[in-house]
Amino acid sequence: MLMKILISGLLLSSTVLIATPQKIGTASAKPKLILQITVDQLRGDLPDKFMKNMGEGGFRWLKEHGIWYKNANYTYSNTETVVGHTTLATGAIPAIHGMVSNVWYDRVKKRLVYNIEDKRYHILSKNADVDDSTEVDSSQALAGTDGRSPANIMVSTFSDELSLFTNEKSKIFGVSVKDRGAVTLAGHNGKAFWFSKTSGEFITSSYYYDTYPDWVKKFNEQKLAERYSDRSWTLMYDKSKYMFGNSDDNPWEEDYAHFGRVFPHAYKSKDNKYFNHYLTFSPAGDELTLDFAKALIENEKMGQHEVTDYLAISFSSTDYVGHIFGPSSLEAEDNMLRLDKTLASLFKYVDEKVGLDNTLIVLSADHGAPEAPGYLAKLGIEAKWIAPLKWNKKPSLKRLEKKFGVGQALIEAFFPPYLYLNHKVIKEKGLNLAEVQKAVAKEIMDIDGIALTVTSTEMRNNTLPDTYLYRAALKNFNAKRSGDILILFEPHCFANDMDGGAVMASNHGGPWTYDTFVPVIFAGNGLKGKQIFRSVKPNDIAPTLSAVVNVKAPSGANGDILEEVMEGIK
Ligand SMILES: [Zn+2]
């Protein structure tokens, strides 16, 4: 009897095995590779705006073959690079993942800190640290060390969960020109590489490796960045083909580090101290990122293991181009066409190496892009730059001094969007913190261009009205890192480099739609083209990826699983 049951059990199993092979052979539910692409500063409408002149294999392929969410918005107030990347990686809001801004004030260290700085883990290359004399990235320039790690990210990432699920069998990498674009998505257990604007190489820190893998050494020995030496960024097509062909030279564009305001933009010689910076201000930065990603896919045999591998690539050029020239410029338009080419080349390569049917691609952005104030003004939309260091503080400080017996000493640090009060002084003077916060917040509210100030006491006590702006402020509030007062600017008002000196054409970082609106696109792995118009959030991506590979969602994730994706890959 026992034998009979065993035999029929065996028969049953073999029947099941025979009945299901088609599913294993075609687009399998579990992808061999998850390719998470982030385009820095890609506002949701920009791919469609410039699609007319795009080729076949990039955005057009995503449109025809991907599930494209056309109404995805970040829900928190501080739409900056590290905040967005960490939200994409973790599915959490900044209140929970802790990366509340590119720079915050550390009350223990008593200084402003850069989001991923970590003095325990130095970069592995010599002469590749940020060079303060040339660094255009003002937040990166504030780092107190060359060391980098994901230690400040307070929750797990999707990539961490994948690693836990497979007991580290999944290969996990993050690659970007920007260190924070790579470190965030690689998570705590993956490996991150980023571009050194000092050495022109792709580098990493001792958090990830003791020495460079051989293939990275070989890649860097090729000195691919130097192929741009004595060349220029030129237009891909004749000027007449472009939407902005007749407006190359706009007064609001920035001649940053003498890269010029009109085509052709000369990269100059490799010995020029800004040479590697120029590459990042142009599509060359993305092209180099693509070269490195291809070498990584080849050498790490991505997508060729028994478990799902994960590669995150963050393309940074769109952000630099947007800041320097604005998103409505000939430079931004040509950059989009070249980004499209870069994506097409990446997808073709992945198809050859892994197969797009075995690869789940997800593309999004860390934040959107505001139009340059100069351009908006030309169209009759009032816009302005806010220069925090130029605020006339004297009358406010006088009033505070009258009320509390102390004025300037109440303020410990200020870096938009947060102002930090000096808790020690407030305690020593026997003052009530909530009252001081309220009084300072009221003074700031009177400044032209400020939409709202919110105190940390109001946020802790949850005494706020249930409005869009307060909800966005709360989602950005982390009790340890956020300041005493959050300052939000009105629509089309932008903080520039603090003192009013024009250093860029446009700047993101607010709660308004142009900054919150990003594309969310899933493609590959058997998915079919579809446009979805219901409202979704970029923090739905990590829980959705988790559901696709059956791992638990990251520890702070609060997004929803996108059902169209789950149904599409069934
Ligand atoms: Zn960014």
Side-chain angles (χ1 to χ4, degrees), residues 498-565:
M498 302 290 276
D499 66 357
V503 290
M504 48 191 141
S506 77
N507 198 15
H508 54 86
W512 309 108
T513 315
Y514 46 78
D515 278 346
T516 62
F517 177 38
V518 292
V520 169
I521 309 166
F522 284 80
N525 211 65
L527 292 177
K528 293 197 169 56
K530 199 175 185 182
Q531 294 191 44
I532 309 288
F533 294 92
R534 70 184 175 86
S535 169
V536 301
K537 315 170 291 298
N539 46 319
D540 296 335
I541 291 173
T544 302
L545 292 178
S546 301
V548 167
V549 286
N550 285 321
V551 310
K552 71 181 194 296
S555 43
N558 56 6
D560 297 310
I561 294 168
L562 296 167
E563 292 197 1
E564 295 86 353
V565 177

Coordinates of all heavy atoms in Angstrom, one line a residue, residues 498-565:
M498 N 22.5 80.5 -1.9 CA 22.5 81.3 -0.6 C 22.7 82.8 -0.8 O 21.9 83.6 -0.3 CB 23.5 80.8 0.4 CG 23.4 79.3 0.7 SD 21.9 78.9 1.7 CE 22.5 79.3 3.3
D499 N 23.7 83.2 -1.5 CA 24.0 84.7 -1.4 C 23.5 85.4 -2.7 O 23.7 86.6 -2.8 CB 25.5 84.9 -1.2 CG 26.3 84.4 -2.4 OD1 25.7 83.9 -3.4 OD2 27.5 84.6 -2.4
G500 N 22.8 84.8 -3.5 CA 22.2 85.5 -4.7 C 23.0 85.5 -5.9 O 22.6 86.0 -6.9
G501 N 24.3 85.0 -5.8 CA 25.1 85.0 -7.0 C 24.5 84.0 -8.0 O 24.2 82.9 -7.6
A502 N 24.3 84.4 -9.2 CA 23.7 83.4 -10.2 C 24.7 82.3 -10.5 O 25.8 82.5 -11.1 CB 23.3 84.2 -11.4
V503 N 24.4 81.1 -10.0 CA 25.4 80.0 -10.3 C 24.7 78.9 -11.1 O 25.3 77.9 -11.5 CB 25.9 79.4 -9.0 CG1 26.9 80.3 -8.3 CG2 24.8 79.0 -8.1
M504 N 23.4 79.1 -11.4 CA 22.7 78.0 -12.2 C 21.5 78.6 -12.8 O 21.0 79.7 -12.4 CB 22.4 76.8 -11.4 CG 21.7 77.1 -10.0 SD 21.7 75.6 -9.1 CE 22.1 76.2 -7.4
A505 N 20.9 77.9 -13.8 CA 19.7 78.4 -14.5 C 18.5 78.0 -13.7 O 17.5 78.8 -13.7 CB 19.7 77.8 -15.9
S506 N 18.5 76.9 -13.1 CA 17.3 76.4 -12.3 C 17.7 75.5 -11.2 O 18.8 74.9 -11.2 CB 16.3 75.7 -13.2 OG 16.7 74.4 -13.5
N507 N 16.8 75.4 -10.2 CA 17.1 74.6 -9.0 C 15.8 73.9 -8.5 O 14.8 74.6 -8.3 CB 17.7 75.4 -7.9 CG 18.5 74.6 -6.9 OD1 18.7 73.4 -7.1 ND2 18.7 75.2 -5.7
H508 N 15.9 72.6 -8.3 CA 14.8 71.9 -7.7 C 14.9 71.8 -6.2 O 15.8 72.3 -5.6 CB 14.8 70.5 -8.3 CG 16.1 69.8 -8.1 ND1 16.3 69.0 -7.0 CD2 17.2 69.7 -8.9 CE1 17.6 68.5 -7.1 NE2 18.1 68.9 -8.2
G509 N 13.9 71.1 -5.6 CA 14.0 70.9 -4.1 C 12.7 71.3 -3.4 O 12.6 71.2 -2.2
G510 N 11.6 71.6 -4.1 CA 10.4 72.0 -3.5 C 9.3 70.9 -3.6 O 9.4 69.9 -4.1
P511 N 8.1 71.3 -3.0 CA 7.0 70.3 -3.0 C 6.0 70.5 -4.2 O 4.9 69.9 -4.2 CB 6.2 70.7 -1.7 CG 6.5 72.2 -1.6 CD 7.8 72.5 -2.2
W512 N 6.4 71.3 -5.2 CA 5.4 71.6 -6.2 C 5.6 70.6 -7.4 O 6.6 70.0 -7.5 CB 5.6 73.1 -6.7 CG 5.6 74.0 -5.5 CD1 6.7 74.6 -5.0 CD2 4.5 74.3 -4.7 NE1 6.3 75.4 -3.9 CE2 5.0 75.2 -3.7 CE3 3.1 73.9 -4.7 CZ2 4.1 75.7 -2.7 CZ3 2.3 74.4 -3.7 CH2 2.8 75.3 -2.7
T513 N 4.5 70.5 -8.2 CA 4.5 69.4 -9.2 C 5.7 69.3 -10.1 O 6.1 68.2 -10.4 CB 3.2 69.6 -10.0 OG1 2.1 69.9 -9.1 CG2 2.8 68.3 -10.8
Y514 N 6.2 70.4 -10.5 CA 7.4 70.3 -11.5 C 8.5 69.6 -10.8 O 9.4 69.0 -11.5 CB 7.8 71.7 -12.0 CG 7.9 72.8 -10.9 CD1 9.0 72.8 -10.0 CD2 6.9 73.8 -10.7 CE1 9.1 73.8 -9.0 CE2 7.0 74.7 -9.7 CZ 8.1 74.7 -8.9 OH 8.2 75.7 -7.9
D515 N 8.6 69.6 -9.5 CA 9.7 68.9 -8.8 C 9.3 67.5 -8.3 O 10.1 66.6 -8.2 CB 10.0 69.7 -7.5 CG 11.0 70.8 -7.8 OD1 11.6 70.9 -8.9 OD2 11.2 71.7 -6.9
T516 N 8.0 67.3 -8.2 CA 7.5 65.9 -7.6 C 7.2 64.9 -8.7 O 7.2 63.7 -8.5 CB 6.3 66.1 -6.7 OG1 5.2 66.6 -7.5 CG2 6.5 67.0 -5.6
F517 N 6.9 65.4 -10.0 CA 6.4 64.6 -11.1 C 7.6 63.9 -11.8 O 8.4 64.5 -12.3 CB 5.6 65.5 -12.0 CG 5.1 64.8 -13.2 CD1 4.6 63.5 -13.2 CD2 5.1 65.5 -14.5 CE1 4.1 62.9 -14.3 CE2 4.6 64.9 -15.6 CZ 4.1 63.6 -15.5
V518 N 7.5 62.6 -11.8 CA 8.6 61.8 -12.4 C 7.9 60.6 -13.2 O 6.8 60.2 -12.9 CB 9.6 61.2 -11.4 CG1 10.4 62.3 -10.7 CG2 8.9 60.4 -10.3
P519 N 8.6 60.1 -14.2 CA 8.1 58.8 -14.8 C 8.4 57.6 -13.9 O 9.4 57.6 -13.2 CB 9.0 58.7 -16.1 CG 10.2 59.5 -15.8 CD 9.9 60.5 -14.7
V520 N 7.4 56.7 -14.0 CA 7.7 55.4 -13.4 C 7.3 54.4 -14.5 O 6.2 54.3 -14.9 CB 6.8 55.1 -12.1 CG1 6.9 53.6 -11.7 CG2 7.3 56.0 -11.0
I521 N 8.3 53.6 -15.0 CA 8.1 52.7 -16.1 C 8.7 51.4 -15.8 O 9.9 51.3 -15.4 CB 8.8 53.3 -17.4 CG1 8.5 54.7 -17.6 CG2 8.5 52.4 -18.6 CD1 9.4 55.4 -18.7
F522 N 7.9 50.3 -16.0 CA 8.4 49.0 -15.8 C 8.3 48.3 -17.2 O 7.3 48.5 -17.9 CB 7.4 48.1 -14.9 CG 7.6 48.4 -13.4 CD1 7.1 49.5 -12.9 CD2 8.4 47.6 -12.7 CE1 7.2 49.8 -11.5 CE2 8.6 47.8 -11.3 CZ 8.0 48.9 -10.7
A523 N 9.4 47.6 -17.6 CA 9.4 47.0 -18.9 C 10.3 45.7 -18.9 O 11.0 45.5 -17.9 CB 10.0 48.0 -19.9
G524 N 10.2 45.0 -20.0 CA 10.9 43.7 -20.0 C 10.2 42.6 -19.3 O 9.0 42.8 -18.9
N525 N 10.8 41.5 -19.2 CA 10.2 40.4 -18.4 C 8.8 40.0 -18.9 O 8.0 39.6 -18.1 CB 10.2 40.7 -16.9 CG 10.3 39.5 -16.1 OD1 11.4 38.8 -16.1 ND2 9.3 39.2 -15.3
G526 N 8.6 40.2 -20.2 CA 7.3 39.8 -20.8 C 6.2 40.8 -20.7 O 5.1 40.6 -21.1
L527 N 6.5 42.0 -20.1 CA 5.5 43.0 -19.9 C 5.1 43.6 -21.3 O 5.9 43.6 -22.2 CB 6.0 44.2 -19.0 CG 6.2 43.8 -17.6 CD1 6.8 45.0 -16.8 CD2 4.9 43.4 -16.9
K528 N 3.8 44.0 -21.4 CA 3.3 44.6 -22.6 C 3.0 46.1 -22.4 O 2.7 46.5 -21.3 CB 2.1 43.9 -23.1 CG 2.4 42.5 -23.5 CD 1.3 41.9 -24.3 CE 1.8 40.5 -24.9 NZ 2.2 39.6 -23.9
G529 N 3.2 46.9 -23.4 CA 3.0 48.4 -23.3 C 1.6 48.8 -22.9 O 0.6 48.3 -23.3
K530 N 1.6 49.8 -22.0 CA 0.3 50.2 -21.4 C 0.6 51.6 -20.7 O 1.7 51.7 -20.1 CB -0.1 49.2 -20.3 CG -1.6 49.2 -20.0 CD -1.8 48.1 -19.0 CE -3.3 47.9 -18.7 NZ -3.5 46.9 -17.7
Q531 N -0.3 52.5 -20.8 CA -0.2 53.7 -20.0 C -1.2 53.8 -18.9 O -2.3 53.5 -19.1 CB -0.4 54.9 -21.0 CG 0.7 55.1 -22.0 CD 0.7 56.4 -22.7 OE1 0.5 57.4 -22.1 NE2 0.8 56.3 -24.0
I532 N -0.7 54.1 -17.7 CA -1.6 54.1 -16.5 C -1.7 55.5 -16.0 O -0.6 56.2 -15.8 CB -1.0 53.2 -15.4 CG1 -0.7 51.8 -16.0 CG2 -2.0 53.1 -14.3 CD1 -1.9 50.9 -16.3
F533 N -2.9 56.0 -15.8 CA -3.0 57.4 -15.4 C -3.5 57.6 -13.9 O -3.6 58.7 -13.5 CB -4.0 58.1 -16.3 CG -3.5 58.2 -17.7 CD1 -3.8 57.2 -18.7 CD2 -2.7 59.3 -18.1 CE1 -3.3 57.3 -20.0 CE2 -2.2 59.4 -19.4 CZ -2.4 58.4 -20.3
R534 N -3.7 56.5 -13.2 CA -4.0 56.7 -11.8 C -2.8 57.2 -11.0 O -1.7 57.0 -11.5 CB -4.6 55.4 -11.2 CG -3.6 54.3 -11.0 CD -4.2 53.0 -10.5 NE -3.2 51.9 -10.5 CZ -2.4 51.7 -9.5 NH1 -2.5 52.5 -8.4 NH2 -1.5 50.8 -9.5
S535 N -3.1 57.8 -9.9 CA -2.0 58.4 -9.1 C -1.2 57.3 -8.4 O -1.7 56.4 -7.7 CB -2.6 59.3 -8.1 OG -1.7 59.7 -7.2
V536 N 0.2 57.3 -8.6 CA 1.0 56.4 -7.9 C 2.2 57.2 -7.3 O 2.3 58.4 -7.6 CB 1.6 55.2 -8.8 CG1 0.4 54.4 -9.4 CG2 2.4 55.8 -9.9
K537 N 3.1 56.5 -6.6 CA 4.2 57.1 -5.9 C 5.5 56.4 -6.3 O 5.5 55.1 -6.4 CB 4.1 57.1 -4.4 CG 2.7 57.5 -3.9 CD 2.5 57.3 -2.4 CE 2.4 55.8 -2.0 NZ 1.3 55.0 -2.5
P538 N 6.6 57.1 -6.4 CA 7.9 56.4 -6.6 C 8.2 55.4 -5.5 O 8.9 54.4 -5.8 CB 8.9 57.5 -6.7 CG 8.1 58.7 -7.1 CD 6.8 58.5 -6.4
N539 N 7.7 55.6 -4.3 CA 8.0 54.6 -3.3 C 7.1 53.4 -3.4 O 7.1 52.5 -2.5 CB 7.9 55.2 -1.8 CG 6.8 56.1 -1.6 OD1 6.4 56.9 -2.4 ND2 6.2 55.9 -0.4
D540 N 6.3 53.2 -4.5 CA 5.6 52.0 -4.8 C 6.6 51.0 -5.5 O 6.3 49.8 -5.6 CB 4.4 52.2 -5.7 CG 3.3 53.1 -5.1 OD1 3.3 53.1 -3.8 OD2 2.6 53.7 -5.8
I541 N 7.7 51.5 -6.0 CA 8.6 50.7 -6.8 C 9.3 49.6 -6.0 O 9.2 48.4 -6.4 CB 9.7 51.6 -7.5 CG1 9.1 52.5 -8.6 CG2 10.8 50.7 -8.1 CD1 10.0 53.5 -9.2
A542 N 9.8 49.9 -4.8 CA 10.6 48.9 -4.0 C 9.6 47.8 -3.5 O 10.0 46.6 -3.7 CB 11.3 49.6 -2.8
P543 N 8.4 48.1 -3.0 CA 7.5 47.0 -2.6 C 7.1 46.2 -3.8 O 6.9 45.0 -3.7 CB 6.3 47.7 -2.0 CG 6.7 49.1 -1.7 CD 7.9 49.4 -2.6
T544 N 7.0 46.8 -5.0 CA 6.6 46.1 -6.2 C 7.7 45.1 -6.6 O 7.4 43.9 -6.9 CB 6.2 47.0 -7.4 OG1 5.2 47.9 -6.9 CG2 5.8 46.3 -8.6
L545 N 8.9 45.6 -6.6 CA 10.1 44.7 -6.9 C 10.1 43.6 -5.9 O 10.4 42.4 -6.3 CB 11.4 45.5 -6.9 CG 11.6 46.5 -8.0 CD1 12.9 47.3 -7.8 CD2 11.5 45.9 -9.4
S546 N 9.9 43.9 -4.7 CA 9.9 42.8 -3.6 C 8.8 41.7 -3.9 O 9.1 40.5 -3.8 CB 9.6 43.4 -2.3 OG 10.5 44.4 -1.9
A547 N 7.6 42.2 -4.3 CA 6.6 41.2 -4.7 C 6.9 40.4 -5.9 O 6.6 39.2 -5.9 CB 5.3 42.0 -4.9
V548 N 7.6 41.0 -6.9 CA 7.9 40.3 -8.1 C 8.8 39.1 -7.7 O 8.7 38.0 -8.3 CB 8.6 41.2 -9.1 CG1 9.3 40.4 -10.2 CG2 7.6 42.2 -9.7
V549 N 9.8 39.3 -6.8 CA 10.7 38.2 -6.5 C 10.4 37.5 -5.2 O 11.2 36.7 -4.7 CB 12.2 38.6 -6.5 CG1 12.7 38.9 -8.0 CG2 12.4 39.9 -5.7
N550 N 9.2 37.8 -4.7 CA 8.7 37.1 -3.5 C 9.6 37.3 -2.2 O 9.7 36.5 -1.4 CB 8.6 35.6 -3.7 CG 7.4 35.3 -4.5 OD1 6.4 35.9 -4.4 ND2 7.6 34.3 -5.4
V551 N 10.2 38.5 -2.1 CA 11.0 38.8 -0.9 C 10.1 39.8 0.0 O 9.2 40.4 -0.6 CB 12.4 39.4 -1.2 CG1 13.1 38.5 -2.2 CG2 12.3 40.8 -1.6
K552 N 10.5 39.9 1.2 CA 9.7 40.8 2.0 C 10.1 42.3 1.6 O 11.2 42.5 1.2 CB 9.9 40.6 3.5 CG 11.2 40.9 4.1 CD 11.2 40.5 5.6 CE 12.4 41.1 6.4 NZ 13.7 40.6 5.9
A553 N 9.2 43.2 1.8 CA 9.4 44.6 1.5 C 10.5 45.2 2.4 O 10.6 44.7 3.5 CB 8.1 45.4 1.5
P554 N 11.2 46.2 2.0 CA 12.2 46.8 2.8 C 11.6 47.3 4.2 O 10.4 47.6 4.2 CB 12.7 48.0 2.0 CG 12.4 47.6 0.6 CD 11.2 46.8 0.6
S555 N 12.5 47.4 5.2 CA 11.9 47.6 6.6 C 11.1 48.9 6.8 O 10.3 48.9 7.7 CB 13.1 47.5 7.6 OG 14.2 48.2 7.1
G556 N 11.3 49.9 6.0 CA 10.5 51.1 6.2 C 9.5 51.4 5.0 O 8.9 52.5 5.0
A557 N 9.4 50.4 4.1 CA 8.6 50.7 2.9 C 7.1 50.9 3.3 O 6.5 50.2 4.1 CB 8.7 49.5 2.0
N558 N 6.5 51.9 2.6 CA 5.1 52.2 2.8 C 4.4 52.5 1.5 O 3.4 53.1 1.5 CB 4.9 53.3 3.9 CG 5.6 54.5 3.5 OD1 6.2 54.6 2.4 ND2 5.5 55.6 4.3
G559 N 5.0 52.0 0.4 CA 4.3 52.1 -0.9 C 3.4 51.0 -1.1 O 3.3 50.1 -0.3
D560 N 2.7 51.1 -2.2 CA 1.8 50.0 -2.6 C 2.4 49.1 -3.7 O 3.2 49.6 -4.5 CB 0.4 50.6 -3.1 CG -0.2 51.4 -2.0 OD1 -0.4 50.9 -0.9 OD2 -0.6 52.6 -2.3
I561 N 1.9 47.9 -3.8 CA 2.3 47.0 -4.9 C 1.6 47.4 -6.1 O 0.3 47.5 -6.1 CB 2.1 45.5 -4.5 CG1 3.0 45.2 -3.3 CG2 2.4 44.6 -5.7 CD1 2.7 43.9 -2.7
L562 N 2.3 47.7 -7.2 CA 1.6 48.1 -8.5 C 1.0 46.9 -9.2 O 1.8 46.1 -9.7 CB 2.6 48.8 -9.3 CG 3.2 50.2 -8.7 CD1 4.4 50.7 -9.5 CD2 2.1 51.2 -8.7
E563 N -0.3 46.8 -9.2 CA -0.9 45.6 -9.6 C -0.8 45.3 -11.1 O -0.7 44.2 -11.6 CB -2.4 45.6 -9.2 CG -2.5 45.5 -7.7 CD -3.9 45.1 -7.3 OE1 -4.8 44.9 -8.1 OE2 -4.1 45.0 -6.0
E564 N -0.7 46.4 -11.9 CA -0.6 46.3 -13.4 C 0.7 45.5 -13.7 O 0.8 44.7 -14.6 CB -0.6 47.6 -14.1 CG -1.9 48.4 -13.9 CD -2.0 49.2 -12.7 OE1 -1.1 49.1 -11.8 OE2 -2.9 50.0 -12.5
V565 N 1.8 45.8 -12.9 CA 3.1 45.1 -13.1 C 2.9 43.6 -12.7 O 3.3 42.7 -13.5 CB 4.2 45.8 -12.2 CG1 5.5 45.0 -12.4 CG2 4.3 47.2 -12.6

